[in-house]
Amino acid sequence: MEMDKMKAVIEGLLFASGDEGITLRQLSSILEVTAATVSHLIDELKYDYEHEGRGIMIIKSHEVFHLTTKPEHSDYYKKLLETPQATRMSQAALETLAIIAYRQPITRTEIEEIRGVKSDRPVKTLIARSLVEEVGRRDSIGRPALFATNKDFLTYFGLTSLEELPPLPEDLADRDTAEQDADLFFEQFNQEFGDE
């Protein structure tokens, strides 16, 4: 693989690794090149970010590399965080939120069994929006994380307790559980999300 392509792959891996970051050893293993080569390519990326007027940079903390924003732009990032988000939640996030609200505490695997698809991203979205949180670990193999709604969820929807959630009708036995949960949730709260 040519050097420019490897540099692009490293950049993508740094981005994809998110907050966890990635080590020199991991990069070397993934690219199947020496650590020295990876180190040289990271130095080139750092130089590019510093000299091309870019908004990102690479930092190294405890032997882990991270792609991050430049501190001199922090005022703009603060403004972004202060700006109310006008984006609506995805169908997947709404379904996942409905399932968690009605079945909590629940593991990601249990959510995926109900939805029939992977649910990593919707759960992360809900955590990022502070509607869901990890509340413990299931006492089973692997001790999977348990997720539940939180105080912000109640506040967001104007509820004082989970007992105020509309009950699931018993006459919908022929419909899929996830569909029941999501439909009822949408009926009650879709207007709230539409106003975000």
Side-chain angles (χ1 to χ4, degrees):
M1 186 184 317
E2 61 186 56
M3 297 298 257
D4 282 343
K5 185 173 180 181
M6 271 195 277
K7 203 159 76 168
V9 170
I10 289 172
E11 184 177 44
L13 289 168
L14 284 165
F15 178 80
S17 67
D19 292 338
E20 292 180 21
I22 192 165
T23 65
L24 189 66
R25 181 185 296 183
Q26 288 173 306
L27 288 167
S28 176
S29 173
I30 292 167
L31 292 169
E32 298 176 349
V33 296
T34 65
T37 301
V38 172
S39 186
H40 172 74
L41 292 170
I42 287 174
D43 287 341
E44 282 191 17
L45 276 170
K46 284 181 180 179
Y47 180 87
D48 293 346
Y49 294 146
E50 289 168 13
H51 293 89
E52 293 180 8
R54 308 279 288 275
I56 55 177
M57 62 184 214
I58 297 173
I59 62 167
K60 182 179 176 184
S61 174
H62 304 289
E63 303 303 313
V64 177
F65 291 97
H66 301 270
L67 197 59
T68 186
T69 55
K70 289 188 174 178
E72 60 263 33
H73 301 153
S74 63
D75 288 343
Y76 298 100
Y77 308 134
K78 286 177 190 170
K79 285 181 185 177
L80 173 67
L81 294 175
E82 292 166 2
T83 305
Q85 290 189 351
T87 58
R88 298 181 82 170
M89 235 187 276
S90 69
Q91 177 84 11
L94 286 171
E95 284 178 9
T96 303
L97 184 57
I99 291 166
I100 293 170
Y102 282 97
R103 308 285 178 184
Q104 60 188 301
I106 188 168
T107 66
R108 186 175 283 125
T109 303
E110 291 166 336
I111 294 167
E112 290 169 356
E113 286 172 4
I114 293 170
R115 288 190 68 228
V117 294
K118 296 288 277 176
S119 297
D120 292 346
R121 188 174 297 268
V123 169
K124 286 179 184 175
T125 297
L126 296 172
I127 291 170
R129 289 191 179 213
S130 299
L131 295 170
V132 167
E133 64 189 5
E134 187 178 320
V135 294
R137 298 272 174 178
R138 170 100 51 224
D139 236 356
S140 63
I141 296 171
R143 303 214 5 103
L146 289 165
F147 297 97
T149 57
N150 55 25
K151 182 174 68 77
D152 291 339
F153 168 82
L154 295 174
T155 303
Y156 186 86
F157 290 109
L159 303 171
T160 56
S161 73
L162 292 173
E163 284 72 39
E164 292 182 10
L165 283 172
L168 291 172
E170 295 177 19
D171 62 344
L172 299 177
D174 59 327
R175 293 176 66 193
D176 179 72
T177 305
E179 188 180 335
Q180 291 175 31
D181 291 352
D183 286 350
L184 287 167
F185 193 78
F186 298 152
E187 288 169 21
Q188 291 294 318
F189 302 114
N190 199 27
Q191 185 61 43
E192 294 279 347
F193 281 110
D195 294 339
E196 269 191 88

